């Protein structure tokens, strides 16, 4: 099974052209598309969701959650 660390270190962007200003371009990061609705449950330190969000033109299709409270996340990370 692939770990989040391995996925985030091997993210590949395909079918993305920096010269095109069209917001409808689909961006692929390994097997995640910018057109997918992505739900990440129990994210821990949100490093994987951050990785995806920075590679897509918009992160409005990503929802990430953590099992820890805000206080515990703040202290741990």
């Amino acid at each position: 099974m692939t770990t989040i660390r391995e996925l985030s270190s091997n993210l590949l962007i395909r079918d993305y052209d920096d010269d095109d200003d069209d917001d409808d371009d689909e961006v692929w990061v390994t097997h995640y598309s910018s057109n997918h609705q992505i739900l990440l449950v129990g994210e821990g330190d949100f490093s994987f969701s951050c990785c995806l969000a920075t590679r897509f033109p918009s992160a409005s299709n990503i929802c990430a959650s953590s099992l820890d409270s805000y206080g515990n996340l703040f202290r741990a990370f």
Side-chain angles (χ1 to χ4, degrees):
M1 178 174 227
T2 305
T3 65
I4 291 175
R5 184 177 301 254
E6 290 169 336
L7 283 175
S8 62
S9 66
N10 294 319
L11 291 178
L12 302 173
I13 299 175
R14 299 180 303 218
D15 299 331
Y16 183 70
D17 183 7
D18 287 331
D19 298 332
D20 192 2
D21 292 332
D22 189 9
D23 289 337
D24 294 334
D25 286 342
E26 184 175 18
V27 177
W28 281 91
V29 179
T30 58
H31 52 275
Y32 298 97
S33 166
S34 58
N35 292 338
H36 291 158
Q37 296 295 316
I38 302 170
L39 175 63
L40 302 167
V41 180
E43 249 286 85
D45 65 353
F46 297 100
S47 59
F48 186 67
S49 55
C50 181
C51 219
L52 284 177
T54 57
R55 285 167 172 77
F56 290 157
S58 170
S60 61
N61 60 325
I62 299 173
C63 180
S65 68
S66 174
L67 297 175
D68 294 318
S69 68
Y70 177 79
N72 286 344
L73 283 174
F74 188 75
R75 282 189 294 278
F77 303 104

